[in-house]
Amino acid sequence: MNDAFTREPSWDPRRFPPAARAPRAVQTVRMLMDPQGYARSLRARLGPVFSLRTHPYRGALVCAADASANRAVLTDHERFTGGDAAALLAPAVGAGSLICTPPPVHLDHRKLLLPSFHGARIAVWAERVRALVGAQLPALLSGGGAPVRPWAQRLTLDVILRVVLGLTDPSRTAAFRQALGPFVATGNLVYLFLPEPLRRDLGPLSPGGRFHRLRGAVLDLTREEIAARRAAPDRTRRDDVLSLLLDARDERGAGLDDAQLLDELTGLVLAGYETTATTIAWTLHLLAHHPAARDDLIADLDAGSDRLLKATVKESGRLRPAVWNAMRTAARDTMLGGRPVPRHAFVAALFPLTHLDPELWPRPDDFRPERHLGADPAPYALTPFGGGVRRCIGVALAQLEIETVLRVVLAAAVPEPAGPREPARLVSVTLVPARGGRIRLRPRTGRT
Ligand code: HEM
């Protein structure tokens, strides 16, 4: 187990914010079954800063669920530190990836990565992303009432492999798809939540053995890409993230070695494709279930405007943010929203709850994109990409992908429900539609 877990203070009701009395196992199951509903009921009973006593936390996960506590956790870096806090994900994304790197190294690495994800640089991918969406559209249109998330995963994986690793050879993309599919499957990621003895590699059939074998396959492929690119004579003319990172240097002239590159690239691929696919699935699913919002958006796009497009993406990120929280640890004993938080405790900016605060968002459960027109939200009322120095670096790429999917799909077809509106389930740290976001697409006559 990572140091952050060994340092974590044990449960002591006098040193933590209030918690429910239910045993840890019960709280864990309720969180997995209905994360937003259960956490919301705790917030209503215990206030906006409360403790969640769930596995794998020995003490408790301190939850911040209003705009002011959200802002403190995301931006007060002296009191709330990132990096180690993502310990849970380290076995998957790599301890050396940006997500898991503590300060001060975090900022050095972030400066090396940021230029590749800058809005202007991402904009050059617009045509290629559009082509990838167009190529996958027939599969979606012929899906007939199928869950949209697997389709979106395929698409966003293609995009991330192209943008981050620069893959153009379909056989390499296929090899990555084959390796990544089973690795990110829910059954495999359960490993992250297992107690230490069950994580050991006890042979190929044990969860630990399987996890490491699957991860090894992904790393081997990535290593091959790094080696091939280092050797490529044309790499300075290429615009993928790997090519840019190979030549990136900090102020002291230092770059990333192969081991660091491997962790950064693995982290980028894993952080970037599931999250974006899930957001695409939620957005199409929500539109299918809200015909007025859907028809307004189609009319607005047909008229050449993107006002409602941007508002729709914001509203989907408010109501169904793909990521469940942003994690930090308390650097010292401190107070949050008038509640005590002990040093080394895990602290979560639980923005999916802040996004449902009726004081910030009237009728919070309604899907109403127009609420974002004209007015900016209150500070830290809407943070689906986290915030502060650890805010998601993939925002521009994610938005490009989501907007492109909506433009291309809605020009060709009208999403309609294919079953009831789905609740959210928690898979690792992602809030996914329980049945994959089922929709049916009715072709738009005369336009396809
Ligand atoms: C809709 C899609 C996405 C969502 C909802 C999302 C959400 C998030 C959130 C909530 C965080 C934590 C921020 C914090 O701790 O304050 C994060 C971090 C991160 N995301 Fe994303 N993300 C998305 C897409 C992407 C993409 C496309 C990439 C890259 C290709 C990416 C790369 C990262 C990285 C590297 C971090 C760690 C940043 C750091 O610690 O400095 N994400 N993301």
Side-chain angles (χ1 to χ4, degrees):
M1 226 352 105
N2 174 295
D3 276 357
F5 279 102
T6 50
R7 283 196 300 259
E8 189 202 354
S10 310
W11 173 246
D12 176 347
R14 288 161 308 177
R15 298 186 64 212
F16 276 90
R21 290 212 182 142
R24 218 159 69 112
V26 173
Q27 296 199 33
T28 304
V29 171
R30 293 196 63 182
M31 272 302 296
L32 289 173
M33 297 312 292
D34 180 15
Q36 261 175 317
Y38 182 54
R40 209 171 174 188
S41 71
L42 293 181
R43 185 197 189 281
R45 262 169 54 204
L46 306 169
V49 177
F50 60 91
S51 294
L52 197 54
R53 299 211 53 221
T54 58
H55 187 76
Y57 304 101
R58 168 168 66 152
L61 177 64
V62 175
C63 298
D66 70 4
S68 133
N70 191 33
R71 177 209 289 258
V73 174
L74 292 176
T75 62
D76 190 339
H77 308 298
E78 299 292 310
R79 288 196 297 149
F80 301 108
T81 320
D84 284 352
L88 188 68
L89 298 177
V93 296
S97 80
L98 196 65
I99 301 165
C100 301
T101 310
V105 179
H106 169 258
L107 219 50
D108 292 341
H109 283 202
R110 196 169 157 103
K111 279 188 200 154
L112 289 179
L113 263 72
L114 267 176
S116 309
F117 290 96
H118 193 273
R121 192 171 270 283
I122 288 300
V124 307
W125 293 100
E127 264 322 301
R128 271 170 284 185
V129 170
R130 181 178 278 275
L132 287 170
V133 177
Q136 306 261 2
L137 184 64
L140 182 66
L141 292 178
S142 62
V148 77
R149 190 160 164 263
W151 175 85
Q153 283 169 315
R154 198 181 165 85
L155 169 75
T156 57
L157 184 58
D158 277 1
V159 172
I160 206 112
L161 292 176
R162 180 72 188 84
V163 174
V164 171
L165 296 181
L167 292 195
T168 47
D169 174 353
S171 70
R172 292 297 290 170
T173 307
F176 268 93
R177 178 172 298 120
Q178 230 175 350
L180 276 162
F183 180 63
V184 301
T186 312
N188 188 46
L189 291 186
V190 163
Y191 166 88
L192 300 176
F193 295 85
L194 293 178
E196 186 63 17
L198 294 179
R199 287 172 159 227
R200 293 198 193 117
D201 185 346
L202 302 171
L205 293 180
S206 67
R210 187 179 149 75
F211 182 88
H212 290 296
R213 180 171 49 79
L214 293 174
R215 184 165 192 271
V218 176
L219 296 188
D220 285 347
L221 287 166
T222 312
R223 271 191 207 98
E224 287 163 20
E225 289 306 319
I226 296 173
R229 199 60 48 78
R230 273 210 195 281
D234 70 334
R235 82 161 191 256
T236 49
R237 290 197 304 277
R238 299 177 62 137
D239 45 12
D240 55 87
V241 175
L242 168 54
S243 297
L244 295 170
L245 282 183
L246 280 171
D247 295 317
R249 297 287 176 270
D250 65 18
E251 293 117 21
R252 294 181 298 278
L256 298 172
D257 63 28
D258 277 5
Q260 290 169 322
L261 263 177
L262 183 66
D263 272 2
E264 291 299 6
L265 295 169
T266 313
L268 286 171
V269 170
L270 292 177
Y273 97 95
E274 283 278 282
T275 44
T276 312
T278 302
T279 304
I280 289 170
W282 274 124
T283 311
L284 286 172
H285 186 69
L286 286 165
L287 285 171
H289 283 268
H290 294 85
R294 175 200 66 198
D295 293 347
D296 286 351
L297 174 59
I298 291 176
D300 202 47
L301 286 171
D302 284 355
S305 157
D306 65 2
R307 254 166 45 105
L308 272 178
L309 177 67
K310 301 220 178 271
T312 301
V313 178
K314 279 188 190 160
E315 182 65 345
S316 161
R318 181 192 70 80
L319 196 56
R320 291 286 183 260
V323 176
W324 173 233
N325 59 30
M327 291 291 292
R328 307 288 187 263
T329 47
R332 52 179 150 91
D333 286 350
T334 186
M335 300 293 284
L336 181 62
R339 308 288 195 182
V341 179
R343 182 176 182 222
H344 295 321
F346 285 95
V347 182
L350 212 59
F351 37 79
L353 290 197
T354 305
H355 292 180
L356 298 176
D357 183 343
E359 286 182 20
L360 299 167
W361 303 102
R363 291 168 47 201
D365 293 300
D366 293 359
F367 178 74
R368 289 195 300 129
E370 69 276 11
R371 70 168 88 229
H372 300 279
L373 294 178
D376 281 335
Y380 293 87
L382 184 63
T383 55
F385 293 100
V389 293
R390 304 201 82 104
R391 186 171 188 250
C392 175
I393 64 166
V395 180
L397 177 60
Q399 279 170 344
L400 172 68
E401 292 180 66
I402 302 161
E403 289 180 14
T404 307
V405 165
L406 291 179
R407 283 182 195 282
V408 172
V409 171
L410 297 179
V414 180
E416 294 181 335
R421 192 174 144 178
E422 297 173 23
R425 291 272 178 276
L426 196 53
V427 175
S428 176
V429 292
T430 317
L431 270 185
V432 305
R435 299 178 65 219
R438 286 178 179 275
I439 58 166
R440 194 178 304 283
L441 283 164
R442 173 167 51 83
R444 290 180 67 184
T445 41
R447 294 192 55 108
T448 47

